[in-house]
Amino acid sequence: MTERKSRGGKPPEEPRRRGQRAVADLLPDIGAAAFKRFGFVQSSVVSRWAEIVGARYAEVSAPESIRFPAGKKSDGTLTLTVSGAHAPMMQHIAPAIMERVNLFFGYVAVARVVIRQGTMAMPKTRVAPPSLRPVPADLGDSLRNITDPELHACLSALAGAVAASNGPPTVGVRLVKGSND
């Protein structure tokens, strides 16, 4: 039997899979498209910026974009947003930043660094809401034998949440009758 050739230059696409796909499988594709649109070839440069340049420099700088010459994926220009008076310091260490970014990519991806002054958005630290009710004494006594502090804190928080709830959750009970009868 002969294979049917398409008229366009594109190879035939994979057959569509039926069924569900995990959201984690879709996110890299969605994130990659958004990052490419705004100048990033690899989104991990943004997410791993502190690992690339170190915590000290990551506090005062953030990568804005990487622009490559037309048709190339090397010798690009990395644009950094740097807060306030840290820009002169970042100019002095620009060669080290280029070296670290190129080491991260594994090839000479960045040949130039452009520094733009701007404000850095500080990440908000998430604080757990205070427990509405104290942990009941009978639950607190049973947690006394747990020596791992992280596990103890987690189980104490769980016991406090259970104590603050209005009873056990109801599963499988329909609250509203409608078209799903």
Side-chain angles (χ1 to χ4, degrees), residues 107-153:
Y107 65 96
V108 182
V110 176
R112 191 170 154 235
V113 175
V114 174
I115 296 174
R116 187 178 68 83
Q117 276 187 314
T119 57
M120 299 299 301
M122 293 295 154
K124 295 180 181 179
T125 56
R126 189 171 176 195
V127 179
S131 178
L132 299 176
R133 296 182 195 166
V135 177
D138 56 337
L139 287 176
D141 291 337
S142 65
L143 297 175
R144 189 170 289 144
N145 297 335
I146 298 174
T147 57
D148 184 21
E150 188 176 344
L151 180 61
H152 186 275

Side-chain angles (χ1 to χ4, degrees), residues 55-125:
R56 179 179 178 193
Y57 300 126
E59 289 178 3
V60 296
S61 67
E64 187 176 297
S65 66
I66 298 176
R67 302 282 181 196
F68 295 106
K72 288 188 172 183
K73 291 294 180 191
S74 62
D75 297 328
T77 301
L78 171 66
T79 304
L80 297 177
T81 302
V82 179
S83 63
H86 296 282
M89 175 191 63
M90 295 300 278
Q91 282 180 333
H92 287 291
I93 63 162
I97 291 174
M98 283 191 306
E99 182 180 334
R100 290 177 181 182
V101 170
N102 290 335
L103 185 64
F104 176 76
F105 276 109
Y107 65 96
V108 182
V110 176
R112 191 170 154 235
V113 175
V114 174
I115 296 174
R116 187 178 68 83
Q117 276 187 314
T119 57
M120 299 299 301
M122 293 295 154
K124 295 180 181 179
T125 56

